[in-house]
Amino acid sequence: MISLTNISKLQKEVSLISKSRLRGNNTRPRYRLNNKLKIQLSNGINITIPKSFEWDQASVPRFLWTFLAPDGDFEIAYLIHDYLWINKEAMAELFSYYEMPFNRKFTDQEMLRWAKVTNGTKKPSLRNLDNYIRYIGVRAFGWLVWTGLIKLK
């Protein structure tokens, strides 16, 4: 089980995500998970991301790739985020079983929590700035995808 408290140690020992790239370098990257992952979210709820789940890492517009690469050390944060978003109805049901709220803000904050642990430092740094820029982008524009106005392939 991977959690916020043990991810740093696990990341140093082994590669946690075995994935296959589905698209080439000239298109938005897309990946398929080669192994299932058991994750404990920050609120204590356990989820299992199944083998063969597909996600795009960070949905960064291509013109920003020079400054905000679509993939990197933060990949587990975006895998969790995409899984929660894509399965939002099932997640809402799971969370309600535990009498916990599930909404877009939780998924976005969960992404930031995991990104800070896997890609951040305790000191001011460009990595931390990168994490917050991505979080602000998801908060500012994510509602378009969450509500279905924009569909990502």
Side-chain angles (χ1 to χ4, degrees):
M1 174 80 59
I2 302 168
S3 69
L4 285 169
T5 56
N6 71 5
I7 185 130
S8 293
K9 181 178 183 272
L10 291 174
Q11 253 184 331
K12 290 175 186 167
E13 295 171 1
V14 295
S15 177
L16 298 176
I17 298 178
S18 172
K19 64 185 185 288
S20 301
R21 190 175 182 124
L22 302 177
R23 294 191 188 155
N25 292 331
N26 293 327
T27 60
R28 179 181 300 279
R30 189 133 185 95
Y31 299 91
R32 179 177 293 130
L33 192 62
N34 293 334
N35 58 313
K36 75 178 180 180
L37 289 177
K38 294 184 178 187
I39 306 287
Q40 183 177 57
L41 300 175
S42 63
N43 62 4
I45 291 179
N46 298 325
I47 62 170
T48 299
I49 303 175
K51 178 181 177 180
S52 300
F53 177 74
E54 293 183 12
W55 82 106
D56 70 349
Q57 301 263 15
S59 302
V60 177
R62 186 171 175 76
F63 71 91
L64 293 174
W65 285 6
T66 301
F67 306 105
L68 298 168
D71 50 10
D73 292 343
F74 45 72
E75 68 185 355
I76 197 162
Y78 297 99
L79 170 61
I80 293 168
H81 184 259
D82 285 4
Y83 183 77
L84 294 172
W85 272 48
I86 290 168
N87 297 288
K88 63 184 173 186
E89 288 84 12
M91 292 298 107
E93 191 174 311
L94 174 65
F95 278 53
S96 71
Y97 176 79
Y98 293 102
E99 299 179 355
M100 292 184 176
F102 176 79
N103 52 38
R104 186 172 75 88
K105 186 172 184 177
F106 172 82
T107 64
D108 297 348
Q109 288 176 339
E110 194 71 0
M111 176 195 77
L112 179 61
R113 285 182 197 102
W114 285 84
K116 285 168 47 178
V117 171
T118 58
N119 186 47
T121 66
K122 297 201 185 289
K123 301 175 188 171
S125 69
L126 289 177
R127 285 180 165 217
N128 289 337
L129 179 62
D130 179 84
N131 291 334
Y132 279 97
I133 288 171
R134 291 170 191 274
Y135 173 73
I136 290 166
V138 166
R139 291 303 298 155
F141 301 106
W143 67 273
L144 295 166
V145 177
W146 184 268
T147 59
L149 290 174
I150 292 179
K151 302 242 188 269
L152 295 177
K153 296 179 184 179

